[in-house]
Amino acid sequence: MDKILRINMGGANGPELKTEGLGPYAGLGGRGMTSAVVSKEVPPSCHPLGADNKFVIAPGLLSGSVAAMSGRISVGCKSPLTGGIKEANSGGQPSQMLGRLGYAAIILEGKPADDTLYKVLINKDGATISADSSLKGLGNYDTVDKMKAEYGDKISCISIGQAGEMKMAAASVACTDMELRPTRHCGRGGVGAVMGAKGVKVIVVDDAGMSMRPAADPDKFKAANKAFVAGLKKHPVTGEGLPAYGTNVLTNVINEAGGYPTNNFATGQFEGAAKISGETQAELENARGGKGAATHGCHRGCVIRCSGTFYDKDGNYLTKQPEYETVWSHGGNCGIDDLDAIAQIDRLDDDFGLDTIEMGATIGVAMEAGLAKFGDAEAAIKLVKEVGQGTPLGRILGNGAAVTGKVFGVERVPVVKGQAMPAYDPRTVQGIGVTYATSTMGADHTAGYAVATNILGVGGNVDPLKPEGQVELSRNLQVATAAIDATGMCVFIAFAILDQEDTFQALLDIVGGFLGQPMTADDVTALGQSILKNEREFNARAGFTAADDRLPDYFKEEKLSPHNITFGVSDEALDDVYNF
Ligand code: SF4
């Protein structure tokens, strides 16, 4: 990957495309690339939807190679939801294809003169951009279908739905999966709104005629990749739990631990959990979908294969298998125990282009405000439809939980830096509370998944109910995750590399073999720390202080059943997370 495509959407005569060398960004990938570009080129005080913000897309360092699990793509910008730096990543096919086409980054910059909507085509002959008003107001599914009719079914797409066009702060960016469906999303932080503000509806990627990216040391790379795959297959989480049930395997586990946020984080256990668990979901999918119900990868080269397909009552495709976070956000968090209703909302979220975590948390806040009753699935579906239609209420909800809480006078709003908390209550899983509070991204479980050690016993044991050891745990995980996010590897590899030294070594050897230079654990730490420092520094310049690295007060004051416990990590301890 030796080039960057820049598209200035504010050119005097319309969009201007320029392909350039990597310059100061040589050697960077994924989150390392997006955060470096945003940190260096975006004024931290700019309006997220204005001309000065940039929308950066970057495949991981290993994307486009045969390295297993290396197909994650990062998008970055200043977030309209948090006001800080944002990196959101996704699976799907575009990362591998962009890597093979040689692009280390695509940067959309400037501001279009009017509301013309554009599509971008990137293939072996280069990149073109053209206006296409027929795409206006389309959902992601119709957008992708149109692109398929135009460019064939070997493409992949990066697109926004209506939410992105309306520049909502909960808008996601969709990436197509192996079946060319827009089911994988860079979900968090309103990245879809920034793509919408640049006037780009869809980026079509076609890697026909391109080859796999070769490794500098093919023998070392090949042997390491083999050992890495074997390590993933032998670990109980990556080799058994995730492939069998998908991420929703966590519903029963987290509920039993008393950390399953229920009815807008009011309690830690949901009585309807068994009805929406991964085990129940798998049974339902098997009954309805036959052999299609088996899990599969969201991109070529995934060997964990945690993704699946959800069929409606008539056996027709409805959506991908809803993830644990989605089943929770639109399920237990809203008191809803109906998998069909949750799957319908998942389809709506994917089509409108919405972050399922933010939307579920928002509906929970709306329920607390009295807009609907907890457990009322039909009302929840109606509220999400209002978002896609852009009604006045929908515009409020589509801007996330914090805005909705403010508009309707709700005090209990589970956000940090304006971003909604995911599916683990920080009172029962205190390590994830540290990550929520201090991540550069706002509340984000993937930024440092302390649940692994707190609840699953992966990478050691730290008591989830006590504050001791949580800061160090979260710090180490945040550093490691930032590095993983730079490689293009799916974060789920963390289970195996935390537990199995030989699998971690295999990962180091994959990167080392690919780049042709040895990679050590210290190098990983240095890479992760440098990314986090870039991001922290951007946020500081944007006005963030230690006061922003806190959970809402009620997590320290309101006891959560069944453990009757509050979040116990002190402010001083939180301030020690970034001690490097
Ligand atoms: S493990 Fe799941 S999320 Fe990760 S790449 Fe595979 S299918 Fe995608």
Side-chain angles (χ1 to χ4, degrees):
M1 299 190 298
D2 58 357
K3 58 192 172 192
I4 290 175
L5 170 66
R6 279 185 194 266
I7 308 180
N8 175 12
M9 299 304 298
N13 299 308
E16 295 166 352
L17 285 75
K18 186 169 73 171
T19 303
E20 61 190 33
L22 300 181
Y25 305 120
L28 301 179
R31 181 173 170 184
M33 173 68 83
T34 61
S35 288
V37 174
V38 173
S39 169
K40 187 172 162 55
E41 300 187 17
V42 175
S45 59
C46 75
H47 195 291
L49 304 178
D52 286 341
N53 199 5
K54 302 200 179 192
F55 181 80
V56 188
I57 303 172
L61 274 174
L62 297 166
S63 295
S65 76
V66 296
M69 311 299 304
S70 64
R72 304 290 295 191
I73 196 163
S74 293
V75 302
C77 56
K78 174 172 173 171
S79 164
L81 188 74
T82 69
I85 200 164
K86 175 55 61 181
E87 184 266 357
N89 64 61
S90 161
Q93 288 292 86
S95 193
Q96 304 282 27
M97 290 194 179
L98 279 173
R100 273 171 222 139
L101 286 159
Y103 290 95
I106 299 165
I107 304 175
L108 306 180
E109 51 195 24
K111 187 172 181 166
D114 54 33
D115 62 357
T116 303
L117 212 47
Y118 291 88
K119 65 187 173 196
V120 176
L121 172 66
I122 302 174
N123 61 20
K124 65 178 171 35
D125 300 320
T128 54
I129 184 165
S130 50
D132 189 343
S133 57
S134 73
L135 297 172
K136 277 203 174 181
L138 294 187
N140 280 311
Y141 274 88
D142 284 344
T143 300
V144 169
D145 279 349
K146 271 181 87 74
M147 295 301 100
K148 193 158 61 170
E150 225 166 296
Y151 301 109
D153 60 4
K154 301 286 187 284
I155 58 169
S156 63
C157 294
I158 302 167
S159 63
I160 54 170
Q162 295 93 337
E165 281 191 58
M166 289 187 272
K167 305 181 194 77
M168 292 172 170
S172 64
V173 169
C175 293
T176 49
D177 58 20
M178 291 205 292
E179 290 76 35
L180 200 40
R181 292 167 175 155
T183 62
R184 319 308 303 190
H185 288 243
C186 300
R188 310 236 59 199
V191 289
V194 181
M195 188 166 163
K198 300 302 178 201
V200 175
K201 177 76 174 177
V202 58
I203 297 171
V204 179
V205 188
D206 181 353
D207 69 345
M210 305 304 292
S211 331
M212 292 282 182
R213 292 175 63 210
D217 183 343
D219 291 341
K220 180 176 178 180
F221 176 74
K222 200 172 161 197
N225 198 33
K226 200 172 163 200
F228 183 60
V229 169
L232 293 174
K233 288 197 180 295
K234 83 174 175 201
H235 192 275
V237 176
T238 52
E240 290 167 29
L242 286 171
Y245 301 113
T247 52
N248 198 17
V249 69
L250 284 167
T251 294
N252 281 335
V253 177
I254 304 299
N255 194 56
E256 275 162 31
Y260 192 78
T262 302
N263 293 357
N264 189 31
F265 288 76
T267 66
Q269 282 183 323
F270 178 44
E271 61 181 25
K275 289 171 75 177
I276 58 173
S277 68
E279 292 81 345
T280 305
Q281 191 175 30
E283 265 175 42
L284 191 69
E285 287 168 2
N286 282 324
R288 289 178 182 176
K291 69 178 175 57
T295 55
H296 61 277
C298 69
H299 69 262
R300 282 188 201 102
C302 167
V303 295
I304 300 176
R305 301 160 74 91
C306 80
S307 185
T309 309
F310 192 95
Y311 300 88
D312 67 15
K313 286 176 176 150
D314 301 321
N316 298 316
Y317 169 83
L318 177 61
T319 185
K320 90 283 192 188
Q321 181 186 75
E323 303 279 351
Y324 166 66
E325 302 293 334
T326 307
V327 173
W328 160 77
S329 69
H330 286 299
N333 189 52
C334 295
I336 293 169
D337 61 7
D338 177 348
L339 276 174
D340 281 298
I342 293 166
Q344 278 181 59
I345 299 176
D346 182 74
R347 167 69 183 231
L348 290 172
D349 282 346
D350 280 358
D351 201 28
F352 296 148
L354 289 163
D355 173 14
T356 60
I357 296 176
E358 193 65 43
M359 282 318 300
T362 301
I363 303 296
V365 169
M367 287 175 162
E368 179 134 345
L371 267 68
K373 285 196 167 50
F374 284 107
D376 188 342
E378 284 311 311
I381 291 170
K382 193 167 164 286
L383 289 174
V384 175
K385 283 184 176 168
E386 296 229 18
V387 179
Q389 289 155 4
T391 65
L393 174 59
R395 295 266 183 170
I396 293 167
L397 301 172
N399 277 289
V403 165
T404 300
K406 203 170 269 186
V407 169
F408 291 101
V410 177
E411 184 192 350
R412 298 180 70 266
V413 180
V415 299
V416 178
K417 300 182 180 75
Q419 181 167 287
M421 286 180 195
Y424 316 88
D425 197 294
R427 289 163 287 194
T428 310
V429 194
Q430 305 227 346
I432 204 71
V434 175
T435 300
Y436 290 167
T438 60
S439 163
T440 49
M441 299 291 144
D444 179 354
H445 62 301
T446 65
Y449 192 65
V451 179
T453 309
N454 275 178
I455 302 291
L456 306 174
V458 171
N461 278 296
V462 176
D463 188 337
L465 303 177
K466 296 194 174 135
E468 290 78 21
Q470 308 295 4
V471 163
E472 190 186 4
L473 174 66
S474 175
R475 178 195 301 127
N476 292 341
L477 289 168
Q478 289 194 51
V479 169
T481 304
I484 290 173
D485 288 344
T487 63
M489 289 274 175
C490 174
V491 75
F492 292 151
I493 67 167
F495 295 109
I497 63 173
L498 282 171
D499 260 354
Q500 301 166 180
E501 255 179 58
D502 53 343
T503 311
F504 180 53
Q505 186 57 48
L507 173 66
L508 296 176
D509 291 343
I510 288 178
V511 181
F514 187 74
L515 299 176
Q517 58 195 50
M519 183 89 178
T520 67
D522 286 346
D523 295 332
V524 172
T525 302
L527 173 62
Q529 287 185 349
S530 74
I531 292 168
L532 292 172
K533 277 182 185 167
N534 254 347
E535 294 172 351
R536 286 278 290 181
E537 196 252 348
F538 181 94
N539 283 353
R541 287 188 286 133
F544 284 69
T545 67
D548 296 294
D549 287 342
R550 302 287 183 262
L551 301 183
D553 286 345
Y554 71 93
F555 287 97
K556 291 176 265 182
E557 294 159 359
E558 192 181 285
K559 288 184 179 168
L560 185 78
S561 65
H563 296 289
N564 295 319
I565 191 171
T566 57
F567 181 67
V569 181
S570 69
D571 291 351
E572 294 70 34
L574 292 176
D575 292 340
D576 194 41
V577 169
Y578 289 91
N579 67 353
F580 46 87

